[in-house]
Amino acid sequence: MEELLRIGIISSTHGIHGEVKVFPTTEDIKRFKKLKQVLLDTGEKQMELEIEGVKFFKQFVILKFKGIDNINEIEPYRGKDLLVTRKQAIPLEEGEYFISDLIGLRVVSDQGEVLGTLTDVLQTGANDVYVVKREEKKDLLIPAILQCILKTDLINGVMTVHLLEGLLDL
């Protein structure tokens, strides 16, 4: 399991005083108000940044970091990820998982058939949909609902699913 979780991506600068517009990749956008620091993944290293100010604009979060007071200081980090540690992450409810923990799970049916590997999670309005990569077959799309997802075992890296009638035909 990943120790660091992405909560946003710096999409652009905001003004000339070092603020950035962040596209959130967390479900709870208000969580930025509670954060005191984040890790900026520059691609080469991770920098700890202290959050000085938080505002909201449409679907974006506007962040101001302590010690970064000029647009030129933050501009090179456009497109870079903002991360938190698992300790800083929002506690999950029973049966909830971080997407990064699901990616790579081996998916098997309740009949014991190995279906493939979970490679992506599509977030739709009603429920998530798990994308399962199969060998020499087209990807399998499984709705993340209780009728389909029977067991998620992160320790052993296996998800057991029940295939509703017609899912293999799509």
Side-chain angles (χ1 to χ4, degrees), residues 23-58:
F23 179 77
T25 57
T26 177
E27 285 186 23
D28 182 8
I29 192 170
K30 299 289 184 204
R31 77 175 318 257
F32 283 91
K33 282 277 192 196
K34 297 176 185 163
L35 282 175
K36 302 213 182 316
Q37 61 198 26
V38 292
L39 292 171
L40 171 66
D41 186 355
T42 68
E44 298 169 6
K45 62 179 181 171
Q46 292 165 353
M47 298 170 35
E48 191 172 292
L49 298 174
E50 187 176 337
I51 296 175
E52 189 175 276
V54 178
K55 298 184 277 190
F56 301 100
F57 177 71
K58 297 185 181 180

PDB file of all heavy atoms in Angstrom, residues 23-58:
ATOM      1  N   PHE A  23      -6.520  21.490  -8.430  1.00  0.00           N
ATOM      2  CA  PHE A  23      -7.633  20.608  -8.760  1.00  0.00           C
ATOM      3  C   PHE A  23      -7.627  19.489  -7.722  1.00  0.00           C
ATOM      4  O   PHE A  23      -6.682  18.707  -7.648  1.00  0.00           O
ATOM      5  CB  PHE A  23      -7.493  20.030 -10.168  1.00  0.00           C
ATOM      6  CG  PHE A  23      -8.605  19.096 -10.519  1.00  0.00           C
ATOM      7  CD1 PHE A  23      -9.848  19.593 -10.876  1.00  0.00           C
ATOM      8  CD2 PHE A  23      -8.428  17.729 -10.453  1.00  0.00           C
ATOM      9  CE1 PHE A  23     -10.896  18.736 -11.181  1.00  0.00           C
ATOM     10  CE2 PHE A  23      -9.471  16.860 -10.749  1.00  0.00           C
ATOM     11  CZ  PHE A  23     -10.704  17.369 -11.111  1.00  0.00           C
ATOM     12  N   PRO A  24      -8.674  19.417  -6.868  1.00  0.00           N
ATOM     13  CA  PRO A  24      -8.671  18.404  -5.810  1.00  0.00           C
ATOM     14  C   PRO A  24      -8.932  16.999  -6.346  1.00  0.00           C
ATOM     15  O   PRO A  24      -9.767  16.811  -7.227  1.00  0.00           O
ATOM     16  CB  PRO A  24      -9.802  18.859  -4.884  1.00  0.00           C
ATOM     17  CG  PRO A  24     -10.694  19.676  -5.738  1.00  0.00           C
ATOM     18  CD  PRO A  24      -9.843  20.273  -6.831  1.00  0.00           C
ATOM     19  N   THR A  25      -8.223  16.026  -5.803  1.00  0.00           N
ATOM     20  CA  THR A  25      -8.449  14.627  -6.157  1.00  0.00           C
ATOM     21  C   THR A  25      -8.938  13.852  -4.937  1.00  0.00           C
ATOM     22  O   THR A  25      -8.805  12.646  -4.880  1.00  0.00           O
ATOM     23  CB  THR A  25      -7.163  13.985  -6.725  1.00  0.00           C
ATOM     24  OG1 THR A  25      -6.123  14.117  -5.762  1.00  0.00           O
ATOM     25  CG2 THR A  25      -6.762  14.624  -8.033  1.00  0.00           C
ATOM     26  N   THR A  26      -9.479  14.571  -3.994  1.00  0.00           N
ATOM     27  CA  THR A  26     -10.065  13.991  -2.798  1.00  0.00           C
ATOM     28  C   THR A  26     -11.564  14.262  -2.831  1.00  0.00           C
ATOM     29  O   THR A  26     -12.006  15.245  -3.420  1.00  0.00           O
ATOM     30  CB  THR A  26      -9.425  14.604  -1.526  1.00  0.00           C
ATOM     31  OG1 THR A  26     -10.058  14.069  -0.372  1.00  0.00           O
ATOM     32  CG2 THR A  26      -9.522  16.112  -1.504  1.00  0.00           C
ATOM     33  N   GLU A  27     -12.336  13.383  -2.240  1.00  0.00           N
ATOM     34  CA  GLU A  27     -13.791  13.559  -2.255  1.00  0.00           C
ATOM     35  C   GLU A  27     -14.233  14.738  -1.406  1.00  0.00           C
ATOM     36  O   GLU A  27     -15.217  15.392  -1.710  1.00  0.00           O
ATOM     37  CB  GLU A  27     -14.482  12.279  -1.769  1.00  0.00           C
ATOM     38  CG  GLU A  27     -14.471  11.186  -2.808  1.00  0.00           C
ATOM     39  CD  GLU A  27     -15.279   9.982  -2.390  1.00  0.00           C
ATOM     40  OE1 GLU A  27     -16.180  10.104  -1.538  1.00  0.00           O
ATOM     41  OE2 GLU A  27     -15.004   8.906  -2.922  1.00  0.00           O
ATOM     42  N   ASP A  28     -13.518  15.010  -0.314  1.00  0.00           N
ATOM     43  CA  ASP A  28     -13.908  16.065   0.608  1.00  0.00           C
ATOM     44  C   ASP A  28     -13.022  17.291   0.405  1.00  0.00           C
ATOM     45  O   ASP A  28     -11.947  17.401   0.979  1.00  0.00           O
ATOM     46  CB  ASP A  28     -13.809  15.560   2.050  1.00  0.00           C
ATOM     47  CG  ASP A  28     -14.255  16.584   3.071  1.00  0.00           C
ATOM     48  OD1 ASP A  28     -14.785  17.644   2.676  1.00  0.00           O
ATOM     49  OD2 ASP A  28     -14.068  16.332   4.275  1.00  0.00           O
ATOM     50  N   ILE A  29     -13.487  18.219  -0.421  1.00  0.00           N
ATOM     51  CA  ILE A  29     -12.704  19.412  -0.745  1.00  0.00           C
ATOM     52  C   ILE A  29     -12.459  20.284   0.486  1.00  0.00           C
ATOM     53  O   ILE A  29     -11.438  20.961   0.597  1.00  0.00           O
ATOM     54  CB  ILE A  29     -13.390  20.211  -1.879  1.00  0.00           C
ATOM     55  CG1 ILE A  29     -12.466  21.284  -2.429  1.00  0.00           C
ATOM     56  CG2 ILE A  29     -14.696  20.798  -1.420  1.00  0.00           C
ATOM     57  CD1 ILE A  29     -12.979  21.940  -3.688  1.00  0.00           C
ATOM     58  N   LYS A  30     -13.361  20.228   1.463  1.00  0.00           N
ATOM     59  CA  LYS A  30     -13.233  21.039   2.682  1.00  0.00           C
ATOM     60  C   LYS A  30     -12.074  20.582   3.558  1.00  0.00           C
ATOM     61  O   LYS A  30     -11.644  21.288   4.464  1.00  0.00           O
ATOM     62  CB  LYS A  30     -14.534  21.016   3.487  1.00  0.00           C
ATOM     63  CG  LYS A  30     -15.720  21.578   2.738  1.00  0.00           C
ATOM     64  CD  LYS A  30     -15.618  23.059   2.566  1.00  0.00           C
ATOM     65  CE  LYS A  30     -16.869  23.596   1.890  1.00  0.00           C
ATOM     66  NZ  LYS A  30     -16.692  24.814   1.209  1.00  0.00           N
ATOM     67  N   ARG A  31     -11.530  19.400   3.286  1.00  0.00           N
ATOM     68  CA  ARG A  31     -10.433  18.881   4.095  1.00  0.00           C
ATOM     69  C   ARG A  31      -9.194  19.768   4.012  1.00  0.00           C
ATOM     70  O   ARG A  31      -8.351  19.752   4.896  1.00  0.00           O
ATOM     71  CB  ARG A  31     -10.097  17.462   3.677  1.00  0.00           C
ATOM     72  CG  ARG A  31      -9.285  17.356   2.383  1.00  0.00           C
ATOM     73  CD  ARG A  31      -8.893  15.942   2.091  1.00  0.00           C
ATOM     74  NE  ARG A  31      -8.462  15.267   3.273  1.00  0.00           N
ATOM     75  CZ  ARG A  31      -7.185  15.024   3.567  1.00  0.00           C
ATOM     76  NH1 ARG A  31      -6.250  15.372   2.745  1.00  0.00           N
ATOM     77  NH2 ARG A  31      -6.857  14.414   4.679  1.00  0.00           N
ATOM     78  N   PHE A  32      -9.082  20.566   2.954  1.00  0.00           N
ATOM     79  CA  PHE A  32      -7.932  21.460   2.814  1.00  0.00           C
ATOM     80  C   PHE A  32      -7.900  22.483   3.949  1.00  0.00           C
ATOM     81  O   PHE A  32      -6.832  22.940   4.330  1.00  0.00           O
ATOM     82  CB  PHE A  32      -7.950  22.164   1.452  1.00  0.00           C
ATOM     83  CG  PHE A  32      -7.498  21.284   0.328  1.00  0.00           C
ATOM     84  CD1 PHE A  32      -8.412  20.529  -0.393  1.00  0.00           C
ATOM     85  CD2 PHE A  32      -6.155  21.196  -0.010  1.00  0.00           C
ATOM     86  CE1 PHE A  32      -7.995  19.721  -1.438  1.00  0.00           C
ATOM     87  CE2 PHE A  32      -5.730  20.391  -1.047  1.00  0.00           C
ATOM     88  CZ  PHE A  32      -6.654  19.635  -1.758  1.00  0.00           C
ATOM     89  N   LYS A  33      -9.069  22.849   4.482  1.00  0.00           N
ATOM     90  CA  LYS A  33      -9.135  23.803   5.597  1.00  0.00           C
ATOM     91  C   LYS A  33      -8.443  23.249   6.844  1.00  0.00           C
ATOM     92  O   LYS A  33      -7.906  24.000   7.652  1.00  0.00           O
ATOM     93  CB  LYS A  33     -10.597  24.136   5.937  1.00  0.00           C
ATOM     94  CG  LYS A  33     -11.232  25.105   4.990  1.00  0.00           C
ATOM     95  CD  LYS A  33     -10.868  26.493   5.388  1.00  0.00           C
ATOM     96  CE  LYS A  33     -11.719  27.504   4.655  1.00  0.00           C
ATOM     97  NZ  LYS A  33     -11.171  28.826   4.714  1.00  0.00           N
ATOM     98  N   LYS A  34      -8.469  21.929   7.016  1.00  0.00           N
ATOM     99  CA  LYS A  34      -7.908  21.292   8.208  1.00  0.00           C
ATOM    100  C   LYS A  34      -6.425  20.961   8.062  1.00  0.00           C
ATOM    101  O   LYS A  34      -5.746  20.705   9.051  1.00  0.00           O
ATOM    102  CB  LYS A  34      -8.683  20.015   8.518  1.00  0.00           C
ATOM    103  CG  LYS A  34     -10.130  20.273   8.852  1.00  0.00           C
ATOM    104  CD  LYS A  34     -10.881  18.987   9.048  1.00  0.00           C
ATOM    105  CE  LYS A  34     -12.356  19.274   9.252  1.00  0.00           C
ATOM    106  NZ  LYS A  34     -13.186  18.112   9.061  1.00  0.00           N
ATOM    107  N   LEU A  35      -5.926  20.958   6.828  1.00  0.00           N
ATOM    108  CA  LEU A  35      -4.522  20.596   6.595  1.00  0.00           C
ATOM    109  C   LEU A  35      -3.585  21.725   6.993  1.00  0.00           C
ATOM    110  O   LEU A  35      -3.838  22.887   6.702  1.00  0.00           O
ATOM    111  CB  LEU A  35      -4.293  20.267   5.120  1.00  0.00           C
ATOM    112  CG  LEU A  35      -4.740  18.905   4.647  1.00  0.00           C
ATOM    113  CD1 LEU A  35      -4.559  18.799   3.133  1.00  0.00           C
ATOM    114  CD2 LEU A  35      -3.981  17.808   5.334  1.00  0.00           C
ATOM    115  N   LYS A  36      -2.511  21.355   7.619  1.00  0.00           N
ATOM    116  CA  LYS A  36      -1.488  22.343   7.990  1.00  0.00           C
ATOM    117  C   LYS A  36      -0.305  22.293   7.017  1.00  0.00           C
ATOM    118  O   LYS A  36       0.369  23.284   6.812  1.00  0.00           O
ATOM    119  CB  LYS A  36      -1.016  22.085   9.414  1.00  0.00           C
ATOM    120  CG  LYS A  36      -2.154  22.134  10.434  1.00  0.00           C
ATOM    121  CD  LYS A  36      -1.705  22.668  11.740  1.00  0.00           C
ATOM    122  CE  LYS A  36      -2.770  22.702  12.801  1.00  0.00           C
ATOM    123  NZ  LYS A  36      -4.050  23.173  12.446  1.00  0.00           N
ATOM    124  N   GLN A  37      -0.083  21.126   6.434  1.00  0.00           N
ATOM    125  CA  GLN A  37       1.019  20.960   5.491  1.00  0.00           C
ATOM    126  C   GLN A  37       0.708  19.872   4.482  1.00  0.00           C
ATOM    127  O   GLN A  37      -0.135  19.019   4.712  1.00  0.00           O
ATOM    128  CB  GLN A  37       2.318  20.636   6.228  1.00  0.00           C
ATOM    129  CG  GLN A  37       2.254  19.355   7.020  1.00  0.00           C
ATOM    130  CD  GLN A  37       3.344  19.260   8.053  1.00  0.00           C
ATOM    131  OE1 GLN A  37       3.848  20.273   8.521  1.00  0.00           O
ATOM    132  NE2 GLN A  37       3.710  18.062   8.437  1.00  0.00           N
ATOM    133  N   VAL A  38       1.408  19.936   3.363  1.00  0.00           N
ATOM    134  CA  VAL A  38       1.298  18.934   2.301  1.00  0.00           C
ATOM    135  C   VAL A  38       2.700  18.664   1.773  1.00  0.00           C
ATOM    136  O   VAL A  38       3.633  19.430   2.033  1.00  0.00           O
ATOM    137  CB  VAL A  38       0.390  19.402   1.130  1.00  0.00           C
ATOM    138  CG1 VAL A  38      -1.049  19.505   1.569  1.00  0.00           C
ATOM    139  CG2 VAL A  38       0.875  20.688   0.525  1.00  0.00           C
ATOM    140  N   LEU A  39       2.821  17.611   1.031  1.00  0.00           N
ATOM    141  CA  LEU A  39       4.076  17.311   0.335  1.00  0.00           C
ATOM    142  C   LEU A  39       3.875  17.615  -1.140  1.00  0.00           C
ATOM    143  O   LEU A  39       2.883  17.190  -1.738  1.00  0.00           O
ATOM    144  CB  LEU A  39       4.464  15.848   0.507  1.00  0.00           C
ATOM    145  CG  LEU A  39       4.871  15.418   1.909  1.00  0.00           C
ATOM    146  CD1 LEU A  39       5.002  13.908   1.979  1.00  0.00           C
ATOM    147  CD2 LEU A  39       6.160  16.086   2.321  1.00  0.00           C
ATOM    148  N   LEU A  40       4.792  18.351  -1.712  1.00  0.00           N
ATOM    149  CA  LEU A  40       4.781  18.646  -3.140  1.00  0.00           C
ATOM    150  C   LEU A  40       5.735  17.681  -3.813  1.00  0.00           C
ATOM    151  O   LEU A  40       6.916  17.632  -3.473  1.00  0.00           O
ATOM    152  CB  LEU A  40       5.229  20.091  -3.385  1.00  0.00           C
ATOM    153  CG  LEU A  40       5.475  20.489  -4.840  1.00  0.00           C
ATOM    154  CD1 LEU A  40       4.179  20.465  -5.630  1.00  0.00           C
ATOM    155  CD2 LEU A  40       6.116  21.856  -4.912  1.00  0.00           C
ATOM    156  N   ASP A  41       5.218  16.894  -4.740  1.00  0.00           N
ATOM    157  CA  ASP A  41       6.048  15.942  -5.484  1.00  0.00           C
ATOM    158  C   ASP A  41       6.546  16.646  -6.738  1.00  0.00           C
ATOM    159  O   ASP A  41       5.796  16.855  -7.685  1.00  0.00           O
ATOM    160  CB  ASP A  41       5.234  14.709  -5.847  1.00  0.00           C
ATOM    161  CG  ASP A  41       6.063  13.628  -6.497  1.00  0.00           C
ATOM    162  OD1 ASP A  41       7.263  13.858  -6.767  1.00  0.00           O
ATOM    163  OD2 ASP A  41       5.516  12.537  -6.739  1.00  0.00           O
ATOM    164  N   THR A  42       7.819  17.013  -6.743  1.00  0.00           N
ATOM    165  CA  THR A  42       8.387  17.752  -7.872  1.00  0.00           C
ATOM    166  C   THR A  42       8.780  16.831  -9.018  1.00  0.00           C
ATOM    167  O   THR A  42       9.148  17.297 -10.083  1.00  0.00           O
ATOM    168  CB  THR A  42       9.641  18.544  -7.446  1.00  0.00           C
ATOM    169  OG1 THR A  42      10.688  17.619  -7.126  1.00  0.00           O
ATOM    170  CG2 THR A  42       9.357  19.461  -6.270  1.00  0.00           C
ATOM    171  N   GLY A  43       8.717  15.530  -8.787  1.00  0.00           N
ATOM    172  CA  GLY A  43       9.181  14.564  -9.787  1.00  0.00           C
ATOM    173  C   GLY A  43      10.573  14.077  -9.452  1.00  0.00           C
ATOM    174  O   GLY A  43      10.940  12.956  -9.752  1.00  0.00           O
ATOM    175  N   GLU A  44      11.359  14.914  -8.797  1.00  0.00           N
ATOM    176  CA  GLU A  44      12.710  14.551  -8.388  1.00  0.00           C
ATOM    177  C   GLU A  44      12.798  14.344  -6.884  1.00  0.00           C
ATOM    178  O   GLU A  44      13.581  13.536  -6.395  1.00  0.00           O
ATOM    179  CB  GLU A  44      13.694  15.639  -8.809  1.00  0.00           C
ATOM    180  CG  GLU A  44      13.759  15.837 -10.305  1.00  0.00           C
ATOM    181  CD  GLU A  44      14.544  17.088 -10.681  1.00  0.00           C
ATOM    182  OE1 GLU A  44      15.126  17.743  -9.806  1.00  0.00           O
ATOM    183  OE2 GLU A  44      14.551  17.408 -11.877  1.00  0.00           O
ATOM    184  N   LYS A  45      11.984  15.120  -6.145  1.00  0.00           N
ATOM    185  CA  LYS A  45      11.989  15.018  -4.690  1.00  0.00           C
ATOM    186  C   LYS A  45      10.630  15.466  -4.170  1.00  0.00           C
ATOM    187  O   LYS A  45       9.781  15.914  -4.931  1.00  0.00           O
ATOM    188  CB  LYS A  45      13.096  15.883  -4.084  1.00  0.00           C
ATOM    189  CG  LYS A  45      12.936  17.365  -4.371  1.00  0.00           C
ATOM    190  CD  LYS A  45      14.040  18.185  -3.738  1.00  0.00           C
ATOM    191  CE  LYS A  45      13.820  19.668  -4.046  1.00  0.00           C
ATOM    192  NZ  LYS A  45      14.701  20.525  -3.326  1.00  0.00           N
ATOM    193  N   GLN A  46      10.466  15.320  -2.867  1.00  0.00           N
ATOM    194  CA  GLN A  46       9.241  15.790  -2.228  1.00  0.00           C
ATOM    195  C   GLN A  46       9.591  16.913  -1.266  1.00  0.00           C
ATOM    196  O   GLN A  46      10.512  16.783  -0.466  1.00  0.00           O
ATOM    197  CB  GLN A  46       8.557  14.648  -1.487  1.00  0.00           C
ATOM    198  CG  GLN A  46       8.018  13.627  -2.468  1.00  0.00           C
ATOM    199  CD  GLN A  46       7.656  12.327  -1.828  1.00  0.00           C
ATOM    200  OE1 GLN A  46       7.904  12.101  -0.664  1.00  0.00           O
ATOM    201  NE2 GLN A  46       7.069  11.434  -2.612  1.00  0.00           N
ATOM    202  N   MET A  47       8.840  18.006  -1.396  1.00  0.00           N
ATOM    203  CA  MET A  47       9.072  19.174  -0.551  1.00  0.00           C
ATOM    204  C   MET A  47       7.887  19.346   0.387  1.00  0.00           C
ATOM    205  O   MET A  47       6.738  19.300  -0.051  1.00  0.00           O
ATOM    206  CB  MET A  47       9.191  20.446  -1.412  1.00  0.00           C
ATOM    207  CG  MET A  47      10.332  20.453  -2.378  1.00  0.00           C
ATOM    208  SD  MET A  47      10.281  21.851  -3.572  1.00  0.00           S
ATOM    209  CE  MET A  47       9.618  23.193  -2.654  1.00  0.00           C
ATOM    210  N   GLU A  48       8.166  19.526   1.674  1.00  0.00           N
ATOM    211  CA  GLU A  48       7.106  19.788   2.630  1.00  0.00           C
ATOM    212  C   GLU A  48       6.758  21.266   2.585  1.00  0.00           C
ATOM    213  O   GLU A  48       7.631  22.122   2.703  1.00  0.00           O
ATOM    214  CB  GLU A  48       7.561  19.390   4.032  1.00  0.00           C
ATOM    215  CG  GLU A  48       6.434  19.375   5.027  1.00  0.00           C
ATOM    216  CD  GLU A  48       6.865  18.804   6.360  1.00  0.00           C
ATOM    217  OE1 GLU A  48       7.142  17.593   6.421  1.00  0.00           O
ATOM    218  OE2 GLU A  48       6.920  19.585   7.338  1.00  0.00           O
ATOM    219  N   LEU A  49       5.489  21.559   2.377  1.00  0.00           N
ATOM    220  CA  LEU A  49       5.018  22.939   2.310  1.00  0.00           C
ATOM    221  C   LEU A  49       3.977  23.182   3.383  1.00  0.00           C
ATOM    222  O   LEU A  49       3.057  22.378   3.564  1.00  0.00           O
ATOM    223  CB  LEU A  49       4.406  23.239   0.938  1.00  0.00           C
ATOM    224  CG  LEU A  49       5.323  23.123  -0.273  1.00  0.00           C
ATOM    225  CD1 LEU A  49       4.530  23.312  -1.554  1.00  0.00           C
ATOM    226  CD2 LEU A  49       6.452  24.132  -0.188  1.00  0.00           C
ATOM    227  N   GLU A  50       4.120  24.299   4.092  1.00  0.00           N
ATOM    228  CA  GLU A  50       3.153  24.672   5.117  1.00  0.00           C
ATOM    229  C   GLU A  50       2.066  25.533   4.482  1.00  0.00           C
ATOM    230  O   GLU A  50       2.355  26.490   3.770  1.00  0.00           O
ATOM    231  CB  GLU A  50       3.858  25.457   6.226  1.00  0.00           C
ATOM    232  CG  GLU A  50       2.987  25.734   7.413  1.00  0.00           C
ATOM    233  CD  GLU A  50       3.747  26.426   8.533  1.00  0.00           C
ATOM    234  OE1 GLU A  50       4.987  26.302   8.593  1.00  0.00           O
ATOM    235  OE2 GLU A  50       3.085  27.104   9.333  1.00  0.00           O
ATOM    236  N   ILE A  51       0.820  25.165   4.746  1.00  0.00           N
ATOM    237  CA  ILE A  51      -0.312  25.897   4.180  1.00  0.00           C
ATOM    238  C   ILE A  51      -0.582  27.129   5.028  1.00  0.00           C
ATOM    239  O   ILE A  51      -0.778  27.035   6.236  1.00  0.00           O
ATOM    240  CB  ILE A  51      -1.557  24.995   4.088  1.00  0.00           C
ATOM    241  CG1 ILE A  51      -1.291  23.837   3.125  1.00  0.00           C
ATOM    242  CG2 ILE A  51      -2.772  25.802   3.645  1.00  0.00           C
ATOM    243  CD1 ILE A  51      -2.401  22.825   3.041  1.00  0.00           C
ATOM    244  N   GLU A  52      -0.595  28.271   4.365  1.00  0.00           N
ATOM    245  CA  GLU A  52      -0.831  29.544   5.037  1.00  0.00           C
ATOM    246  C   GLU A  52      -2.268  30.036   4.833  1.00  0.00           C
ATOM    247  O   GLU A  52      -2.827  30.718   5.686  1.00  0.00           O
ATOM    248  CB  GLU A  52       0.153  30.585   4.496  1.00  0.00           C
ATOM    249  CG  GLU A  52       0.195  31.884   5.230  1.00  0.00           C
ATOM    250  CD  GLU A  52       1.286  32.779   4.679  1.00  0.00           C
ATOM    251  OE1 GLU A  52       2.448  32.615   5.104  1.00  0.00           O
ATOM    252  OE2 GLU A  52       0.983  33.621   3.807  1.00  0.00           O
ATOM    253  N   GLY A  53      -2.868  29.699   3.691  1.00  0.00           N
ATOM    254  CA  GLY A  53      -4.218  30.154   3.405  1.00  0.00           C
ATOM    255  C   GLY A  53      -4.940  29.226   2.456  1.00  0.00           C
ATOM    256  O   GLY A  53      -4.325  28.615   1.586  1.00  0.00           O
ATOM    257  N   VAL A  54      -6.264  29.131   2.638  1.00  0.00           N
ATOM    258  CA  VAL A  54      -7.100  28.270   1.806  1.00  0.00           C
ATOM    259  C   VAL A  54      -8.359  29.043   1.420  1.00  0.00           C
ATOM    260  O   VAL A  54      -9.024  29.633   2.272  1.00  0.00           O
ATOM    261  CB  VAL A  54      -7.528  26.990   2.566  1.00  0.00           C
ATOM    262  CG1 VAL A  54      -8.440  26.124   1.702  1.00  0.00           C
ATOM    263  CG2 VAL A  54      -6.329  26.205   3.037  1.00  0.00           C
ATOM    264  N   LYS A  55      -8.664  29.046   0.119  1.00  0.00           N
ATOM    265  CA  LYS A  55      -9.913  29.616  -0.396  1.00  0.00           C
ATOM    266  C   LYS A  55     -10.477  28.636  -1.407  1.00  0.00           C
ATOM    267  O   LYS A  55      -9.766  27.754  -1.890  1.00  0.00           O
ATOM    268  CB  LYS A  55      -9.656  30.966  -1.088  1.00  0.00           C
ATOM    269  CG  LYS A  55      -9.105  32.050  -0.189  1.00  0.00           C
ATOM    270  CD  LYS A  55      -8.981  33.378  -0.921  1.00  0.00           C
ATOM    271  CE  LYS A  55      -7.696  33.420  -1.712  1.00  0.00           C
ATOM    272  NZ  LYS A  55      -7.380  34.744  -2.262  1.00  0.00           N
ATOM    273  N   PHE A  56     -11.739  28.815  -1.723  1.00  0.00           N
ATOM    274  CA  PHE A  56     -12.382  27.942  -2.697  1.00  0.00           C
ATOM    275  C   PHE A  56     -12.928  28.777  -3.841  1.00  0.00           C
ATOM    276  O   PHE A  56     -13.480  29.856  -3.619  1.00  0.00           O
ATOM    277  CB  PHE A  56     -13.504  27.138  -2.039  1.00  0.00           C
ATOM    278  CG  PHE A  56     -13.006  26.280  -0.903  1.00  0.00           C
ATOM    279  CD1 PHE A  56     -13.153  26.699   0.413  1.00  0.00           C
ATOM    280  CD2 PHE A  56     -12.375  25.079  -1.143  1.00  0.00           C
ATOM    281  CE1 PHE A  56     -12.681  25.925   1.459  1.00  0.00           C
ATOM    282  CE2 PHE A  56     -11.894  24.299  -0.115  1.00  0.00           C
ATOM    283  CZ  PHE A  56     -12.052  24.725   1.195  1.00  0.00           C
ATOM    284  N   PHE A  57     -12.736  28.277  -5.072  1.00  0.00           N
ATOM    285  CA  PHE A  57     -13.223  28.965  -6.261  1.00  0.00           C
ATOM    286  C   PHE A  57     -13.717  27.919  -7.246  1.00  0.00           C
ATOM    287  O   PHE A  57     -12.929  27.121  -7.760  1.00  0.00           O
ATOM    288  CB  PHE A  57     -12.100  29.803  -6.892  1.00  0.00           C
ATOM    289  CG  PHE A  57     -12.501  30.495  -8.164  1.00  0.00           C
ATOM    290  CD1 PHE A  57     -13.381  31.565  -8.139  1.00  0.00           C
ATOM    291  CD2 PHE A  57     -12.009  30.057  -9.381  1.00  0.00           C
ATOM    292  CE1 PHE A  57     -13.753  32.192  -9.319  1.00  0.00           C
ATOM    293  CE2 PHE A  57     -12.373  30.672 -10.566  1.00  0.00           C
ATOM    294  CZ  PHE A  57     -13.253  31.746 -10.531  1.00  0.00           C
ATOM    295  N   LYS A  58     -15.043  27.886  -7.445  1.00  0.00           N
ATOM    296  CA  LYS A  58     -15.685  26.868  -8.288  1.00  0.00           C
ATOM    297  C   LYS A  58     -15.272  25.493  -7.779  1.00  0.00           C
ATOM    298  O   LYS A  58     -15.412  25.224  -6.598  1.00  0.00           O
ATOM    299  CB  LYS A  58     -15.367  27.094  -9.756  1.00  0.00           C
ATOM    300  CG  LYS A  58     -15.908  28.419 -10.269  1.00  0.00           C
ATOM    301  CD  LYS A  58     -15.689  28.582 -11.749  1.00  0.00           C
ATOM    302  CE  LYS A  58     -16.239  29.942 -12.185  1.00  0.00           C
ATOM    303  NZ  LYS A  58     -16.065  30.178 -13.593  1.00  0.00           N
TER     304      LYS A  58
END
